[in-house]
């Protein structure tokens, strides 16, 4: 029998989160009859996985592109991104190549069933039951085998409001606090809402769609409300944002209502708005409460599926900077720009090297925009993000019926799509060896044969590659073809990391300026700015943008405070302050006898319990979560065997 009172989340998590986790543990024990020490991974067969994917083909398509977007924001933080169906079966995962084995060992891979009744309390399964965003952090998990995970998940609903899928970001490095995961779950929730927007728009592309918000600049973005309207001016569908803004008791309460009953817009005015549908935003008032909104109407013939399923809100940060702007005042970046300009139109292959998040794709786009090919397509392919079984079809395309599950119309591959423009191969070092051979042939012969075809198609290729790895070392190890390496390495430009840049403060200020929406003057508290400047930014510019964007969203009164920043930044700044004070006093911190005694007591108890953390926590009359924190504080490894 599992004692709920001893569950760590009830001791360390407060308010609604504690109720959520405790409720899940109740279900695990009383409804599912699970034993936290005897939960095994459940994986569906290949045919079953294929059937699950077929049922949600549109969602998977939309999610894959949005997951690429989300991955760019949290790259380097050690997360795997997953999309599951409403049963908890993982349909597609997005994880950095270097971390794949770690997540596979944790059971986070395609086909694994993470429903709550199978795996106990976890991000995916508990999100399905609760149908709201959740954070299941470390010892919140019911199964002992999952306590090393930290998971943030959000539900995805269809246009009718029914649960379709779950988007999840999970880490196998259980660090920090539950509160520190709020930034991650906010990003995951935003991505889930973007997918829902696309599902709604695609489902009602043949209807007029009214988009509205209390602020005109938010019409067309993630927070606006959506109402689908039929030919009789009646509401046939609404999203959650629409119900929330109108104070309705759920989206179903709006269905069947006449638009004229909701807003002060009569049939004739609505007809006129339909005839002039497009980008025009106009004011209207809610009849019940007299509130003012701004709206835009899309006519049926103007409703098109968003290319590749993406629905990306326009932000200042999404504006594409030019080469000179990317150089800033850093001498290394300035030299990169000078070299790029010299070779850009001379058919010289460019290899971009740099840590994750240094802006390799942004730099590649800027090279493209500075070239004579600027009006032609820029096509990006992340060789590490596409499953090995799909990358060949993605690159080379295929003819109708080339393989089971292929589109009846076939598909033009990325190589053909980029012909005449620029092909950007990101993380080229993670391309499978067999595919490297075929790519080399295409680059040499300047023609491609799609899968299932027999007629070569001529290509006009310009290739820019990027990698965070040392390809020379991979060639020596036999993991990368030497002939392809020399074919792609016309010139190598190494992008500086944030910690190496001479213009670090100017870079931070430019990121802050770019992320502001212009509606409110944003100020930074002195200690918050100091923390941002002191931090090493292992995730580089991408991480900086993510942190700044979230801080601007969380801050109140237009002032970013230290409390609006992630715990990691705050703790880093505090450690720096302690070291600075110690250095100023020119004294070493004295040994702490009390801390040493606590460490010895912990090790003694763990050894006596055979290094079983649960038993040790019970013996110490504390929670597992608290025990793990103390072990980390004293440098005691959970798997230590003394």
């Amino acid at each position: 029998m599992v004692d709920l009172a001893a569950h760590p989340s009830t001791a360390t998590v407060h308010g609604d989160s504690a109720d959520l986790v405790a409720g899940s543990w109740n279900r695990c024990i009383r409804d599912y009859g699970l034993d936290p020490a005897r939960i095994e991974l459940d994986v569906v067969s290949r045919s079953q996985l294929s059937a699950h994917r077929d049922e949600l083909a549109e969602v998977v398509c939309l999610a894959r592109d949005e997951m690429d977007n989300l991955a760019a924001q949290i790259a380097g933080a050690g997360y795997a991104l997953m999309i599951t169906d409403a049963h908890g079966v993982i349909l597609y995962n997005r994880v950095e190549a270097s971390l794949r084995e770690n997540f596979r060992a944790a059971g986070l891979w395609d086909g694994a069933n993470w429903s709550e009744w199978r795996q106990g309390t976890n991000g995916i399964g508990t999100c399905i039951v609760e149908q709201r965003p959740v954070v299941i952090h470390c010892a919140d998990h019911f199964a002992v085998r999952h306590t090393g995970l930290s998971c943030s998940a959000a539900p995805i609903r269809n246009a009718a409001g029914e649960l379709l899928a779950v988007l999840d970001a999970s880490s196998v490095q259980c660090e920090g606090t539950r509160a520190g995961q709020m930034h991650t779950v906010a990003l995951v929730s935003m991505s889930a809402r973007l997918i829902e927007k696309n599902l709604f728009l695609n489902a009602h592309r043949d209807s007029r769609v009214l988009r509205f918000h209390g602020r005109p600049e938010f019409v067309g973005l993630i927070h606006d409300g959506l109402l689908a309207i039929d030919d009789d001016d009646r509401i046939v569908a609404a999203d959650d944002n629409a119900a929330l803004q109108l104070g309705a008791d759920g989206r179903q309460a709006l269905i069947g209502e006449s638009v004229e009953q909701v807003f002060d817009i009569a049939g004739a005015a609505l007809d006129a708005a339909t005839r002039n549908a497009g980008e025009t935003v106009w004011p209207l008032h809610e009849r019940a409460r007299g509130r003012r909104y701004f709206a835009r109407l899309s006519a049926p013939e103007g409703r098109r599926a968003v290319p590749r399923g993406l629905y990306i809100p326009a932000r200042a940060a999404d504006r594409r900077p030019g080469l000179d702007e990317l150089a800033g005042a850093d001498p290394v970046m300035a030299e990169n720009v000078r070299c790029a300009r010299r070779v850009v139109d001379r058919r010289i292959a460019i290899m971009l090297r740099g840590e994750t998040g240094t802006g390799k794709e942004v730099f590649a786009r800027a090279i493209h925009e500075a070239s004579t090919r600027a009006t032609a397509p820029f096509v990006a392919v992340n060789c590490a993000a596409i499953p090995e079984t799909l990358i060949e079809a993605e690159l080379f395309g295929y003819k109708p019926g080339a393989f089971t599950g292929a589109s009846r119309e076939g598909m033009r591959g990325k190589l053909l799509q980029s012909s005449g423009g620029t092909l950007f191969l990101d993380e080229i070092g993670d391309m499978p060896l067999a595919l490297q051979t075929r790519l080399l042939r295409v680059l040499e012969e300047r023609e491609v044969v799609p899968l299932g075809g027999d007629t070569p198609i001529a290509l006009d290729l310009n290739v820019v590659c990027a990698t965070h790895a040392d390809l020379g070392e991979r060639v020596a190890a036999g993991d990368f073809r030497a002939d392809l390496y020399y074919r792609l390495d016309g010139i190598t430009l190494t992008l500086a990391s944030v910690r190496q840049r001479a213009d670090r403060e100017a870079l931070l200020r430019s990121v802050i300026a770019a992320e502001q929406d212009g509606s409110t003057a944003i100020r930074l508290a002195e200690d918050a700015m100091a923390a941002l400047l002191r931090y090493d930014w292992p995730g580089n510019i991408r991480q900086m943008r993510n942190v700044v964007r979230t801080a601007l969203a969380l801050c109140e009164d237009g002032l970013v405070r230290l409390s609006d920043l992630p715990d990691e930044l705050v703790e880093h700044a505090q450690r720096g302050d302690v070291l600075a004070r110690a250095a100023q006093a020119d004294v070493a911190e004295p040994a702490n006898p009390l801390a040493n005694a606590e460490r010895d007591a912990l090790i003694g108890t763990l050894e006596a319990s055979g290094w079983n953390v649960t038993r040790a926590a019970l013996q110490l009359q504390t929670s597992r979560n608290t025990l793990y924190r103390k072990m980390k504080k004293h440098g005691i490894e959970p798997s230590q065997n003394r």
Side-chain angles (χ1 to χ4, degrees), residues 335-350:
E335 178 63 12
N336 286 335
V337 168
R338 187 190 71 81
C339 293
R341 288 194 181 280
R342 293 293 296 273
V343 304
V344 66
D345 286 318
R346 299 197 178 188
R347 290 191 175 276
I348 295 175
I350 299 174

Side-chain angles (χ1 to χ4, degrees), residues 63 92 103 226 262 413 427-428 430 470 481 508 599 618 639:
Y92 174 74
F103 283 101
L226 302 182
V262 179
E427 300 302 349
I428 184 69
D430 293 310
D470 187 328
R481 288 186 62 108
L508 175 60
R599 185 178 191 279
L618 290 172
S639 59

Side-chain angles (χ1 to χ4, degrees), residues 411-635:
M411 187 183 78
R412 294 172 75 242
K414 303 296 187 184
L415 286 162
L416 194 55
Q417 293 173 32
S418 72
S419 184
T422 299
L423 176 67
F424 175 59
L425 297 175
D426 196 9
E427 300 302 349
I428 184 69
D430 293 310
M431 179 177 283
L433 273 170
L435 207 57
Q436 294 175 28
T437 302
R438 188 170 179 193
L439 176 62
L440 176 63
R441 187 179 303 117
V442 169
L443 295 178
E444 294 291 352
E445 298 175 0
R446 299 276 167 174
E447 60 184 25
V448 64
V449 179
L451 298 180
D454 52 19
T455 305
I457 303 172
L459 296 172
D460 177 14
L461 286 178
N462 181 55
V463 180
V464 178
C465 296
T467 179
H468 70 281
D470 187 328
L471 289 189
E473 290 182 358
R474 295 208 172 183
V475 169
D479 296 327
F480 199 85
R481 288 186 62 108
D483 43 8
L484 178 60
Y485 171 62
Y486 295 124
R487 180 65 181 77
L488 295 173
D489 190 30
I491 183 173
T492 296
L493 305 177
T494 302
L495 306 190
S497 64
V498 170
R499 66 182 175 278
Q500 296 169 331
R501 291 188 61 146
D503 59 346
R504 185 168 172 174
E505 181 172 352
L507 177 64
L508 175 60
R509 292 188 183 279
S510 69
V511 169
I512 294 171
E515 290 298 333
Q516 296 187 46
D517 60 18
S519 61
T520 306
I522 299 293
R523 297 169 293 116
L524 273 80
E526 186 175 335
D527 56 353
M529 187 65 178
L532 290 168
L533 289 174
R534 180 177 287 168
Y535 190 58
D536 287 337
W537 299 107
N540 292 294
I541 298 173
R542 184 183 292 125
Q543 182 190 15
M544 183 182 286
R545 284 185 59 184
N546 176 29
V547 168
V548 168
R549 183 177 299 167
T550 307
L552 295 183
L554 293 175
C555 74
E556 298 179 356
D557 306 323
L559 178 65
V560 176
R561 299 171 174 83
L562 196 61
S563 58
D564 297 319
L565 302 181
D567 290 348
E568 183 181 354
L569 267 76
V570 176
E571 291 168 3
H572 185 273
Q574 291 170 344
R575 287 197 300 270
D577 289 338
V578 170
L579 292 174
R581 287 195 296 270
Q584 187 176 10
D586 195 26
V587 293
E589 290 188 43
N592 188 332
L594 186 59
N596 290 340
E598 183 179 56
R599 185 178 191 279
D600 292 342
L602 291 175
I603 291 175
T605 305
L606 285 163
E607 288 178 340
S609 62
W611 288 87
N612 183 304
V613 175
T614 301
R615 286 202 297 268
L618 290 172
Q619 187 173 343
L620 292 168
Q621 297 185 349
T622 187
S623 68
R624 282 192 305 172
N625 207 25
T626 299
L627 180 53
Y628 274 122
R629 283 204 309 273
K630 289 183 179 294
M631 290 167 66
K632 182 178 178 181
K633 170 186 171 183
H634 293 294

